[in-house]
């Protein structure tokens, strides 16, 4: 399992290995950081194979590879996985399941209405975050009604630029602080802050966390994604009733800031948002936003996770338990097959966990630290 990160204008490749130990437990261990002078697929593959040879691991025993979907890693012609398969034909490539889940949300969020909402949310965050005075004003407005509620956390969070599945925290903070945001904007707009006397569950969220665990197997990952697909299919079937409740909640939020839900301006030719005909605000947002968004998520889930067939996965349900019960001396071939199945990687999150170590070890006071020292310190830190 490998993933790349930049640190002080240097490219570092984090390399991890997944295996079954002598007690028949699945483990993922960090091997080290590899320096990358180039990011071409052939060069990265050669770097990985050279390192495995140096530490005494026979790459002919490789049975799986897990990377993200970047062309340099996943290409069937010149990607890392293709180059390594030439040396280890049995090392099947697995597109990191967390990256696949991230792509589902990325592609679904390209719908005009969702994209515009995300842009406005980030603009509001930057408006308050880029000014200490505005940021403090928002915190004081919140403290008037919710004393100590925000003492240990920020009112607003920036949207994560790379992991879209991590944006749920930003959405939740914005939703909870919505009325206070509007109040703060009104205070700024009317210059009230200058007057004296004024005192300054989402489904993918839990699955993302579970997919990042070290010992998760391909069976558990497939079951998680199956549950997500079933959940969104149920949401789609009951969307009319559920959206009516959501719309009523939105109407109450609008009333709390002296506004109302209304239809957007409708034009004959609309380029920046959907324009399906509707008679009420609820009907408009259900047809133009809710239904396309949920349908897009369902299609993307089927597209990104279609390789793991139900028949193959059902056969893997008993693998891990069977491995612990299988006597190696009596059934050596079966034992070896079960170990290989348990070794198939699910994601490259083990590599991404090592990125946080770089932040702590290679800071501005150690920017010139040698690569061997960085890798050695990272091994000590992680182990």
């Amino acid at each position: 399992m490998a993933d790349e990160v930049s640190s002080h204008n240097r490219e570092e490749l984090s390399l991890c290995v997944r295996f079954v130990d002598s007690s028949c437990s699945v483990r993922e261990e960090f091997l080290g950081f590899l320096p990358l002078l180039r990011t071409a697929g052939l060069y990265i593959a050669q770097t990985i194979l050279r390192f495995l040879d140096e530490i005494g691991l026979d790459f002919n025993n490789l049975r799986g590879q897990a990377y993200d979907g970047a062309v340099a890693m996943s290409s069937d012609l010149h990607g890392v996985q293709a180059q390594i398969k030439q040396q280890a034909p049995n090392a099947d490539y697995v597109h990191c399941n967390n990256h696949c889940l991230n792509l589902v949300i990325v592609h679904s969020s390209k719908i005009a209405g969702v994209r515009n909402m995300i842009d406005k949310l980030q603009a509001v965050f930057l408006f308050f975050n880029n000014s200490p005075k505005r940021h403090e004003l928002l915190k004081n407005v919140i403290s008037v009604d919710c004393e100590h509620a925000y003492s240990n956390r920020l009112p607003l969070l920036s949207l994560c630029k790379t992991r879209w599945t991590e944006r749920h925290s930003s959405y939740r903070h914005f939703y909870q602080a919505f009325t206070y945001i509007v109040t703060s904007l009104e205070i700024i707009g009317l210059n009230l802050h200058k007057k004296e006397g004024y005192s300054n569950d989402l489904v993918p969220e839990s699955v993302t966390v579970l997919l990042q665990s070290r010992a998760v197997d391909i069976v558990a990952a497939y079951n998680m994604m199956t549950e997500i697909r079933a959940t969104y299919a149920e949401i789609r079937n009951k969307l009319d009733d559920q959206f009516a409740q959501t719309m009523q909640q939105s109407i109450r939020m609008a009333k709390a800031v002296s506004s109302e839900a209304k239809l957007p301006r409708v034009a004959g030719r609309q380029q920046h948002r959907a324009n399906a005909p509707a008679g009420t605000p609820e009907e408009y947002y259900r047809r133009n936003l809710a239904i396309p968004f949920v349908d897009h998520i369902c299609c993307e889930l089927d597209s990104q996770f279609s390789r793991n067939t139900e028949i193959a996965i059902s056969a893997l349900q008993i693998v891990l338990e069977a491995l612990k019960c299988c006597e190696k001396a009596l059934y050596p071939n079966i034992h070896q097959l079960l170990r290989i199945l348990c070794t198939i990687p699910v994601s490259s999150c083990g590599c991404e966990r090592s990125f946080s170590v770089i932040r702590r070890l290679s800071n501005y006071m150690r920017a010139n630290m040698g690569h061997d020292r960085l890798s050695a310190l990272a091994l000590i830190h992680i182990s």
Side-chain angles (χ1 to χ4, degrees), residues 76-231:
D76 291 332
L77 295 178
H78 305 292
V80 174
Q81 63 98 4
Q83 299 297 325
I84 289 183
K85 286 199 74 171
Q86 293 180 5
Q87 304 295 326
N90 295 322
D92 291 329
Y93 166 61
V94 175
H95 188 178
C96 172
N97 280 265
N98 260 306
H99 284 88
C100 288
L101 184 58
N102 191 66
L103 289 175
V104 169
I105 303 177
V106 171
H107 294 162
S108 300
S109 297
K110 291 181 180 179
I111 297 175
V114 178
R115 184 183 66 244
N116 294 340
M117 178 276 297
I118 293 174
D119 292 341
K120 290 181 175 64
L121 191 151
Q122 182 68 0
V124 171
F125 165 78
L126 294 175
F127 177 78
F128 285 99
N129 189 69
N130 290 343
S131 169
K133 292 182 178 179
R134 291 194 291 262
H135 181 76
E136 191 64 24
L137 171 64
L138 178 59
K139 292 180 65 175
N140 288 336
V141 169
I142 294 174
S143 65
V144 171
D145 289 337
C146 306
E147 188 176 0
H148 306 305
Y150 285 79
S151 58
N152 296 323
R153 73 169 194 172
L154 297 173
L156 294 174
L157 295 178
S158 177
L159 296 174
C160 182
K161 296 181 180 179
T162 54
R163 300 181 187 175
W164 283 55
T165 49
E166 296 298 325
R167 294 187 169 194
H168 57 269
S169 299
S170 303
Y171 301 147
R172 185 184 299 116
H173 280 229
F174 184 87
Y175 172 78
Q176 293 174 345
F178 175 73
T179 55
Y180 307 114
I181 293 171
V182 175
T183 301
S184 301
L185 292 175
E186 290 177 343
I187 291 172
I188 295 172
L190 299 175
N191 290 326
L192 297 179
H193 58 298
K194 296 182 179 180
K195 295 183 178 180
E196 295 181 359
Y198 185 85
S199 59
N200 292 327
D201 317 350
L202 296 174
V203 175
E205 172 186 353
S206 56
V207 175
T208 301
V209 175
L210 291 173
L211 285 175
Q212 292 176 8
S213 59
R214 293 175 181 269
V216 64
D217 55 72
I218 195 69
V219 179
Y222 179 81
N223 289 337
M224 292 175 194
M225 305 319 303
T226 301
E227 292 177 5
I228 283 187
R229 284 200 292 265
T231 300

Side-chain angles (χ1 to χ4, degrees), residues 67 76 149 184 197 199 231 245 252 255 274 316 328 332 341 368:
Y67 316 119
D76 291 332
S184 301
S199 59
T231 300
Q245 299 176 3
R252 289 194 295 269
K255 288 183 177 179
L316 291 174
K328 183 177 180 180
L341 286 173
N368 294 323

Side-chain angles (χ1 to χ4, degrees), residues 27 36 73 76 78 103 105 117 143 168 189 197 253 259 268 286 291 333 335 357 373 379:
R27 292 172 56 185
L36 290 181
M73 308 300 288
D76 291 332
H78 305 292
L103 289 175
I105 303 177
M117 178 276 297
S143 65
H168 57 269
M253 291 177 64
S259 183
R286 184 177 68 251
I291 292 177
N333 292 335
H335 184 86
V357 175
R373 181 180 177 85
L379 280 169

